[in-house]
Each structure stands twice: as structure tokens, then as C-alpha cells.
Amino acid sequence: MKVSIIGASGYAGEELIRLLHGHPHAEIVHLTSERHTGERISKLYPHLTHIYDNILDSMEDIHRMAEDSDVLFIALPHGHAMKLVKAIADLPVRIIDLGADYRFADTSVYEAWYHVPHTDPEAERVYGLAELYRDAIRGAHLIGNAGCYTTAGILALTPLVQEHLVQMDSILVDAVSGVSGAGRTPKESTHFPEFYDSFTAYGAVSHRHTPEIEQALSEQAGEPVTINFTPHLAPIARGILATCYARLADGVTEEDVDAAFAAQYADEFFIRLLGRGAYPSTKYVRGTNYCDIAWHIDPRTHRVIVFSAIDNLVKGAAGQAIQNMNIALDLDERTGLDLVPMYP
């Protein structure tokens, strides 16, 4: 397969390069960066020296790149992908957007939370959270890759809402991300002296991943689900740990919760159920496409607490995109992703 990465100079784009290097059926033919057009990718990322020394192109000639490619990964901020997708709508290339432009079934929700008009509302898209939307992803030509916080939160809560084991108006999600989730462009808030030795919340009640989590959980529950979501930033490079709370429905037992997780994920290669009473860690999934999940039940408050850990750049971005590509093209979805976590 010929694959191209639009936006290769960001962290998600670089992670796509790293993972696709180990994919036996993929050959990278184009890499783009508007800020670094004409430079070698190995100049921006020296760890790629003599592995990928490709010259970065501009995406101005997107039509030619799409003609050269079987799969196009778009790793750009929201608002860009829909312009590109419209420009190449006449071509059979499969497109996986790692941004938010094609994650929402209702584009008015996207417009309300992202504060930009959606210029391609009629595009036929599929939500790219592989473990839950696998059947829809098969054969799909336009996939809106799930977000990082959303992947951790949705996977943690789906077994509970699907089986109606919790009260739908009681769900809280607290999630902590490494600073790579903020992107590679320098900002004051992620400048080393500002960020190191600190831990902070941000985006309470307004983070854009909130409606994405609600959309998926509502579909899984078969009824509207509204949540509170609060993200946090930790002084680590990569990883997300989500802590999700919900009040159990009347009569629900610990065994019911255990059975729901087993039924949902027992056969999922990339979901590792650590079981009741365990504690996932970002270190144990570092550099991989795994999502580790564990849960606790508090008999005093009749609440369930679910922990999930992912690598935000892999299962939360590039790895999930490749998993979606594999499913869409009817390959073994583990291809190129069967990796042992890096440790320590």
C-alpha cells in the first residue's frame, strides 16, 4: 500500500512514521509540512536519520498526492481536513483524519464546540474507535479517528452503559495527559519552567472531547448520556490515565460489573483487562496500542470507579489510525502494531 501523511512534522505524524516503518504492507510515499516544506524529516526528528530522510512537501498539490496513495492520513488541527477531503472527493483514496473534523455524526455539535463552520457536512464518514465500530470501519473510505481522551474514557465506560449498570446522569471523567497531547508548537503553558514540577487541570466544562465522549456513550447506551469531563496535564511526555466514576444502578453487583467487562473485551487484543482492584499505569502501555482497564467498586457510595491507561500518541492517535486502516482494508488489525511496551 502507498500511504501519505499530511502533517508529518507534528507528534502524531511522526508517530505514524515510526509505526508504519514496521508495517509489512505499507510504503510511505509523501510526507508534508507547511512550516518545514523542503526540509528533511530527519532534520526535525534526528532519531529518524538514515531511516526516513524524506523531503517534506507542501500539501498544495494534495490531488497528486492522493492519486499516488492508497491511504491518506491527515494529522492536522481541526478545520483543515474538511478542505482537503472536499478537494479530493473524486478519488478512491481512503482517508483517515486524526483531527476532529469527521468525528461527529451531527456537524452542528462540531460547530458548537469547535467554533468554526463545517464545510463538508454531507461527507459519508465513520467514527474510528476500532473496538466499538469495527463493522462500520470495514471498507470505509473516510474515517474520523477517535480523540485521545475520548478513547480512554469511552473504552472505560462502554461496558457499564451498554448493560445499563450505572445511572446515566452520574458519570464523571477525570483524565490526565502527558504534554505531548498539547502538540509540538511551543506555548507558554508547556514551556519547561512553567510546566515542570506542576500538575494542573484545564478546560473544565468546556473541553471539546466532552461531546465526543457523550456521542459514543449515548450510542452504546441507546439513550442520551451527559457527562462531566475534566482534563489535566501532567509533567510526563506521553500517556493518558482516565479515572471514571458512576453511581451503580439499583441491584447491580460486583459480579455484574466484572461480567460486563469480560463480555465486552475478553476477545479484544488491544484491550487488556487487569480486573477488579488493579491499577493501570501509563508506563505499562508506553509506545503501544494497548488500553489497560481496571475497576473498583465502593460499597459505601455504591459507585464504580474505572481506570484506563493508553499512550496518547499511539492508541490515542497514530496507532488507532493504523488499526483503523487495517480494518478498513481487511488486514489483521494487529499488523504493524503488535508491540511490547517500552520500559522503564
XYZ file of all heavy atoms in Angstrom, residues 87-122:
292
model
N -11.462 18.537 -1.652
C -10.630 18.729 -2.844
C -10.310 17.419 -3.551
O -9.996 17.422 -4.748
C -9.341 19.442 -2.465
N -10.372 16.300 -2.827
C -10.021 15.010 -3.434
C -11.202 14.043 -3.397
O -11.023 12.824 -3.461
C -8.796 14.391 -2.732
C -9.037 14.219 -1.225
C -7.551 15.248 -2.976
C -7.901 13.522 -0.495
N -12.393 14.584 -3.314
C -13.598 13.750 -3.200
C -13.809 12.855 -4.414
O -14.526 11.846 -4.330
C -14.826 14.627 -2.982
N -13.199 13.202 -5.549
C -13.383 12.418 -6.772
C -12.442 11.220 -6.845
O -12.532 10.429 -7.796
C -13.157 13.308 -7.994
C -11.758 13.923 -8.014
O -11.298 14.355 -6.946
O -11.149 13.985 -9.105
N -11.560 11.054 -5.865
C -10.553 9.999 -5.911
C -10.906 8.862 -4.949
O -11.557 9.086 -3.931
C -9.179 10.573 -5.548
C -8.656 11.670 -6.485
C -7.322 12.210 -5.981
C -8.509 11.145 -7.909
N -10.453 7.634 -5.254
C -10.812 6.482 -4.415
C -9.938 6.301 -3.179
O -10.108 5.330 -2.444
C -10.619 5.296 -5.374
C -9.533 5.745 -6.301
C -9.739 7.230 -6.485
N -9.012 7.200 -2.930
C -8.105 7.059 -1.791
C -8.880 6.988 -0.478
O -9.880 7.679 -0.291
C -7.092 8.233 -1.768
C -7.804 9.570 -1.605
C -6.060 8.042 -0.671
N -8.424 6.135 0.421
C -9.021 6.067 1.758
C -8.382 7.126 2.640
O -7.156 7.317 2.603
C -8.842 4.677 2.366
C -9.570 3.584 1.580
C -9.340 2.229 2.203
N -9.799 1.179 1.333
C -11.028 0.658 1.343
N -11.908 1.119 2.207
N -11.367 -0.303 0.521
N -9.205 7.793 3.440
C -8.733 8.920 4.232
C -9.001 8.640 5.703
O -10.123 8.268 6.087
C -9.448 10.218 3.810
C -9.174 10.516 2.330
C -9.007 11.387 4.692
C -10.082 11.586 1.758
N -7.975 8.841 6.522
C -8.122 8.736 7.969
C -7.692 10.063 8.558
O -6.526 10.457 8.464
C -7.290 7.569 8.535
C -7.727 6.254 7.871
C -7.440 7.498 10.055
C -6.911 5.051 8.277
N -8.660 10.770 9.149
C -8.417 12.092 9.722
C -8.178 11.949 11.210
O -9.057 11.529 11.952
C -9.620 12.996 9.442
C -9.473 14.369 10.104
O -8.319 14.788 10.340
O -10.506 15.005 10.377
N -6.972 12.323 11.651
C -6.649 12.255 13.068
C -7.156 13.472 13.837
O -7.059 13.525 15.058
C -5.136 12.107 13.277
C -4.574 10.683 13.122
C -4.544 10.263 11.661
C -3.181 10.576 13.721
N -7.685 14.464 13.141
C -8.290 15.621 13.784
C -9.757 15.371 14.065
O -10.252 14.242 14.005
N -10.494 16.443 14.335
C -11.879 16.311 14.806
C -12.927 16.508 13.726
O -14.118 16.348 13.994
C -12.125 17.327 15.926
N -12.527 16.842 12.500
C -13.495 17.286 11.502
C -14.548 16.247 11.155
O -15.678 16.604 10.788
C -12.774 17.717 10.224
C -12.016 19.019 10.400
O -11.986 19.541 11.531
O -11.443 19.510 9.402
N -14.217 14.961 11.263
C -15.158 13.925 10.848
C -15.513 12.959 11.980
O -15.905 11.824 11.738
C -14.596 13.169 9.639
C -14.518 14.056 8.413
C -13.318 14.636 8.034
C -15.661 14.346 7.669
C -13.250 15.478 6.934
C -15.602 15.182 6.569
C -14.398 15.749 6.206
O -14.339 16.587 5.111
N -15.423 13.432 13.207
C -15.767 12.575 14.346
C -17.243 12.610 14.702
O -17.740 11.706 15.389
C -14.963 12.998 15.579
C -13.477 12.730 15.477
C -12.734 13.274 16.685
N -11.294 13.102 16.552
C -10.404 13.702 17.309
N -10.803 14.523 18.283
N -9.121 13.508 17.118
N -17.959 13.644 14.272
C -19.326 13.840 14.747
C -20.351 13.502 13.668
O -20.238 13.952 12.520
C -19.526 15.289 15.206
C -18.729 15.632 16.428
C -17.476 16.215 16.320
C -19.205 15.346 17.696
C -16.726 16.522 17.436
C -18.465 15.643 18.825
C -17.225 16.228 18.695
N -21.352 12.734 14.060
C -22.447 12.440 13.149
C -23.262 13.695 12.870
O -23.753 13.900 11.759
C -23.339 11.349 13.736
N -23.413 14.550 13.871
C -24.143 15.804 13.755
C -23.130 16.939 13.712
O -22.507 17.280 14.732
C -25.083 15.970 14.956
C -25.923 17.237 14.883
O -25.687 18.074 13.982
O -26.803 17.400 15.747
N -22.935 17.525 12.532
C -21.895 18.547 12.408
C -22.239 19.826 13.164
O -21.354 20.643 13.417
C -21.623 18.881 10.935
O -22.846 19.232 10.278
C -21.004 17.685 10.217
N -23.494 20.014 13.555
C -23.832 21.194 14.357
C -23.186 21.098 15.746
O -22.873 22.121 16.357
C -25.346 21.354 14.484
O -25.921 20.319 15.266
N -22.989 19.878 16.244
C -22.293 19.696 17.520
C -20.832 20.113 17.362
O -20.271 20.812 18.208
C -22.402 18.239 17.996
C -21.588 18.023 19.267
C -23.856 17.853 18.224
N -20.230 19.696 16.261
C -18.848 20.120 15.959
C -18.766 21.638 15.920
O -17.859 22.243 16.521
C -18.430 19.518 14.618
C -17.141 20.058 14.044
C -15.920 19.468 14.348
C -17.150 21.161 13.194
C -14.734 19.966 13.820
C -15.967 21.660 12.667
C -14.763 21.058 12.977
O -13.598 21.561 12.451
N -19.675 22.282 15.235
C -19.634 23.741 15.103
C -19.809 24.432 16.448
O -19.165 25.456 16.725
C -20.719 24.197 14.123
C -20.453 23.753 12.692
C -21.576 24.120 11.731
O -22.729 24.292 12.210
O -21.326 24.236 10.523
N -20.660 23.879 17.309
C -20.915 24.498 18.607
C -19.703 24.425 19.527
O -19.441 25.355 20.295
C -22.119 23.827 19.275
N -18.936 23.337 19.444
C -17.811 23.146 20.362
C -16.483 23.608 19.786
O -15.576 23.971 20.535
C -17.722 21.678 20.777
C -18.774 21.288 21.764
C -20.081 20.979 21.496
C -18.635 21.182 23.188
N -20.757 20.676 22.646
C -19.899 20.786 23.711
C -17.576 21.347 24.069
C -20.109 20.584 25.066
C -17.782 21.148 25.424
C -19.036 20.767 25.919
N -16.355 23.582 18.458
C -15.087 23.973 17.829
C -15.134 25.384 17.245
O -14.118 25.910 16.801
C -14.690 22.950 16.759
C -14.173 21.670 17.352
C -15.053 20.678 17.788
C -12.812 21.441 17.520
C -14.600 19.511 18.365
C -12.342 20.265 18.088
C -13.241 19.302 18.513
O -12.779 18.140 19.089
N -16.321 25.964 17.205
C -16.498 27.371 16.843
C -16.000 27.708 15.441
O -15.483 28.799 15.196
C -15.822 28.280 17.885
C -16.223 27.979 19.291
N -17.525 28.129 19.749
C -15.499 27.489 20.341
C -17.581 27.766 21.017
N -16.373 27.370 21.399
N -16.147 26.761 14.531
C -15.879 27.010 13.116
C -16.984 26.328 12.307
O -17.534 25.306 12.743
C -14.502 26.468 12.673
C -13.377 27.223 13.345
C -14.391 24.979 12.919
N -17.342 26.866 11.141
C -18.355 26.207 10.316
C -17.816 24.923 9.712
O -16.635 24.849 9.347
C -18.655 27.251 9.235
C -17.436 28.105 9.173
C -16.885 28.145 10.567
N -18.664 23.921 9.631
C -18.283 22.669 8.970
C -18.667 22.776 7.508
O -19.841 22.934 7.173
C -18.964 21.467 9.615
C -18.268 20.173 9.332
N -18.200 19.623 8.073
C -17.569 19.333 10.140
C -17.516 18.489 8.123
N -17.118 18.295 9.365
N -17.659 22.707 6.644
C -17.888 22.945 5.215
C -18.119 21.668 4.413
O -18.274 21.734 3.201
C -16.697 23.706 4.614
O -15.492 22.940 4.820
C -16.544 25.073 5.279
N -18.160 20.519 5.087
C -18.372 19.258 4.366
C -19.339 18.362 5.142
O -19.035 17.207 5.436
C -17.015 18.549 4.176
C -17.082 17.418 3.166
O -18.007 17.390 2.340
O -16.183 16.543 3.216
N -20.520 18.883 5.466
C -21.428 18.127 6.337
C -22.020 16.879 5.694
O -22.482 15.977 6.404
C -22.526 19.145 6.668
C -22.512 20.095 5.520
C -21.082 20.200 5.104
N -22.022 16.818 4.361
C -22.645 15.678 3.688
C -21.710 14.500 3.503
O -22.137 13.436 3.033
C -23.168 16.130 2.312
C -24.162 17.282 2.356
C -25.379 16.964 3.223
O -25.848 15.807 3.168
O -25.838 17.853 3.946
